[in-house]
Amino acid sequence: MEARTGVSKQDIREHIWDYMESKNLADFPRPVHHRIPNFKGAPRAAEHFPHLQAFQMARTIKVNPDAPQKNARFFVLESKKTLLVPTPRLRTGLFNKIIPPLGATKDILRKCATSQGVKNYSTPVGLDSRVLVDLVVVGSVAVSEKGWRIGKGEGYADLEYAMMVSMGAVNQGTPVVTIVHDCQVVDIPEVLLEDHDLTVDYILTPTRVIVTGCERPKPMGIMWSKISWEMLEKIPVLRNLRSQEKQAGKDVTLQDEHWRPPESRSQQQVLLSPVRRSLDVVRLEKGPIQDKDVPANSEAPLGTSVYVGNLPRETRVSELKRALRELGATPTRLTWQGPQGRAFLHYPDPALAQQAIACLQGLHLGGNTVRVALARQQR
C-alpha cells in the first residue's frame, strides 16, 4: 500500500485501520482502531522469526505483549531462550521474565505465550538486573521498507527502547524486528520521523521477510524534554530512571518542568490518597526486627509492609523520605533502623505495597542500590 503524500502519522494510522476493517483483515479484538492490529495471518508471519540469524544467535529476546506477536513469544520459549515481555503501559515496571514450569509441553508453552500466561508465569526484572537484550520485537501500525515505523500513537514502544538504552540493556547494534500484515507496509515520509522514533531492521509479513538496511540511528536514551509530568507520574519505573540519571549528572529537564499541571497532582493524590498522611517515623536504633515489623501480625496485615535494605550507614531518614515523595511511594508509617542499614515502609493494603516496590526498584541512595521486598521475605 502507498500512503498519501502530505499526511501526518495519525492520517497513516487511520488509513491502515480503516483499510483493515473494511477488508476484514483482522481477528479479535475488533475494531482495530487505536490498537496494534491482530491481523489475520500473524502465525504465518511469525514462522519466519526462528529462521532469522539474529534469532538463532540471540539468548535474550524482548517481545511486545500484543496479540499478533503471540507466536513469536512461543518460538522464543520453545527454543529455550530467555523471553522478556514489557508490562502493559509500563505501569508496574519495565518488563517481566517469562518462566515456564519445568518440563512444560508445547501446549503449556503456548499458554505461557498468551497475555494470561504472561501474567501467570512471569517475574519482574528490576532496573539493577544488568540484563542484556540481544533482539527486540515490537508491534507496529505501519512500517516502511526503509525501516521507519509508526505505532498506535502512545509512544510506549519508543519509550521502552529508550529506557532499555538508559539501563544498558540494548545498544545501536541490537536488531529490532516487527511483525505486520502486508498491507501495513507503506511509504512513510521521512519528514514525519523524530529523534525518539524507533526504527526496525527486519519486517516479517505472511509473504515476505524484509531486511530494511536502515541506517537511521535509533534513540540514544530517554529524551526527557519529550516526557511530561503526567507521563512521569503514570510510570513508576520512569521516575526511578530519572532519579538515577539525575544523580549521574545528566540533564533530566522535563517537557513541562516549570509548569506542573494541577491535574497531574490530583492524579497522584487519587493514586496514593490512602498514603498521603503525615509520616509517623518510629526510630529503632538497636535490637533485632520486632514482631510489629513483620507483615503477618495485626499491626501490619499480611503483605502491607515493605523492607528497604542496603542503606548506607550515613543515610538520614530525611533522604529516604524525600526519595519516597519524589517517587510517589510515601507510606502511612515508616520504621527507621538506620544503624542496621534498613527501614520498613507500612501501607494500608497489599496493592499499595506492591506499587511501592515497583516504584523503588533500582533506587540509589548514597551510592548503594537499595534492596526492596515485602517485609515477610526478609524475616
Side-chain angles (χ1 to χ4, degrees):
M1 291 179 64
E2 291 187 3
R4 296 162 293 167
T5 57
V7 296
S8 67
K9 287 182 179 179
Q10 189 60 26
D11 290 333
I12 295 175
R13 291 185 189 104
E14 296 291 344
H15 180 59
I16 296 290
W17 288 328
D18 290 345
Y19 181 85
M20 296 187 78
E21 280 294 324
S22 67
K23 299 296 183 180
N24 194 30
L25 294 177
D27 289 322
F28 177 85
R30 300 278 293 273
V32 297
H33 294 79
H34 311 292
R35 305 180 192 274
I36 298 296
N38 185 21
F39 62 93
K40 293 180 178 179
R44 191 162 66 252
E47 287 176 3
H48 300 299
F49 190 42
H51 300 293
L52 295 179
Q53 185 180 12
F55 176 93
Q56 294 167 5
M57 295 178 62
R59 291 183 294 179
T60 300
I61 302 176
K62 189 234 88 173
V63 184
N64 64 299
D66 299 298
Q69 278 69 54
K70 178 179 69 175
N71 281 58
R73 295 191 291 272
F74 165 73
F75 286 129
V76 175
L77 295 174
E78 185 186 40
S79 301
K80 295 184 172 18
K81 299 176 185 290
T82 299
L83 173 62
L84 302 178
V85 178
T87 58
R89 297 180 183 272
L90 304 175
R91 283 186 291 260
T92 58
L94 181 50
F95 37 58
N96 292 319
K97 179 180 177 181
I98 312 306
I99 305 177
L102 290 174
T105 63
K106 281 192 176 184
D107 286 341
I108 295 295
L109 293 180
R110 290 189 186 280
K111 289 180 181 179
C112 292
T114 65
S115 57
Q116 189 60 45
V118 167
K119 294 178 184 176
N120 294 341
Y121 298 99
S122 67
T123 182
V125 176
L127 293 180
D128 55 349
S129 62
R130 302 189 186 280
V131 65
L132 293 177
V133 177
D134 303 308
L135 183 60
V136 173
V137 179
V138 296
S140 302
V141 172
V143 64
S144 78
E145 292 190 11
K146 294 181 179 179
W148 302 339
R149 172 191 171 275
I150 295 176
K152 60 187 174 185
E154 297 180 342
Y156 285 105
D158 300 322
L159 184 56
E160 286 164 10
Y161 184 87
M163 292 166 72
M164 288 192 289
V165 172
S166 293
M167 63 185 288
V170 297
N171 55 48
Q172 287 292 313
T174 306
V176 178
V177 177
T178 193
I179 304 174
V180 296
H181 192 277
D182 287 281
C183 76
Q184 294 175 260
V185 183
V186 300
D187 292 329
I188 299 175
E190 187 173 6
V191 69
L192 296 182
L193 299 187
E194 300 179 69
D195 291 341
H196 66 272
D197 286 332
L198 179 61
T199 57
V200 303
D201 302 292
Y202 299 93
I203 304 169
L204 309 184
T205 79
T207 65
R208 294 193 287 170
V209 174
I210 302 171
V211 182
T212 67
C214 184
E215 296 182 357
R216 184 182 178 89
K218 294 181 173 65
M220 301 295 289
I222 300 171
M223 299 181 67
W224 295 105
S225 61
K226 301 283 187 181
I227 304 295
S228 66
W229 272 112
E230 182 180 8
M231 179 173 283
L232 194 71
E233 291 182 348
K234 286 180 178 177
I235 305 175
V237 68
L238 191 59
R239 297 198 295 269
N240 234 335
L241 277 172
R242 183 171 184 254
S243 176
Q244 290 183 14
E245 296 203 354
K246 185 175 182 180
Q247 289 183 16
K250 296 183 180 180
D251 182 3
V252 295
T253 304
L254 300 179
Q255 183 183 78
D256 46 3
E257 180 78 22
H258 304 296
W259 177 72
R260 188 170 182 177
E263 60 266 25
S264 65
R265 286 187 181 275
S266 66
Q267 285 173 351
Q268 191 177 42
Q269 291 289 339
V270 170
L271 183 66
L272 295 170
S273 56
V275 297
R276 286 294 185 186
R277 307 171 192 163
S278 60
L279 279 173
D280 175 18
V281 180
V282 180
R283 294 182 179 274
L284 298 177
E285 300 295 343
K286 296 182 181 180
I289 302 173
Q290 303 298 312
D291 284 346
K292 65 182 179 181
D293 296 317
V294 178
N297 80 358
S298 59
E299 189 168 335
L302 180 63
T304 61
S305 291
V306 174
Y307 164 86
V308 179
N310 199 35
L311 296 171
R313 285 185 174 275
E314 64 274 13
T315 300
R316 298 183 178 182
V317 67
S318 59
E319 295 177 70
L320 177 59
K321 289 168 61 178
R322 182 169 59 251
L324 293 171
R325 284 194 298 269
E326 290 178 354
L327 295 172
T330 306
T332 52
R333 188 165 61 88
L334 187 156
T335 301
W336 179 248
Q337 293 185 340
Q340 288 80 36
R342 63 194 178 206
F344 292 87
L345 315 178
H346 307 285
Y347 296 91
D349 58 62
L352 287 171
Q354 290 288 354
Q355 178 180 298
I357 290 173
C359 289
L360 298 175
Q361 289 296 324
L363 174 64
H364 289 266
L365 284 177
N368 286 13
T369 301
V370 302
R371 292 195 293 270
V372 186
L374 284 177
R376 185 171 185 175
Q377 297 170 359
Q378 298 296 326
R379 187 168 183 176

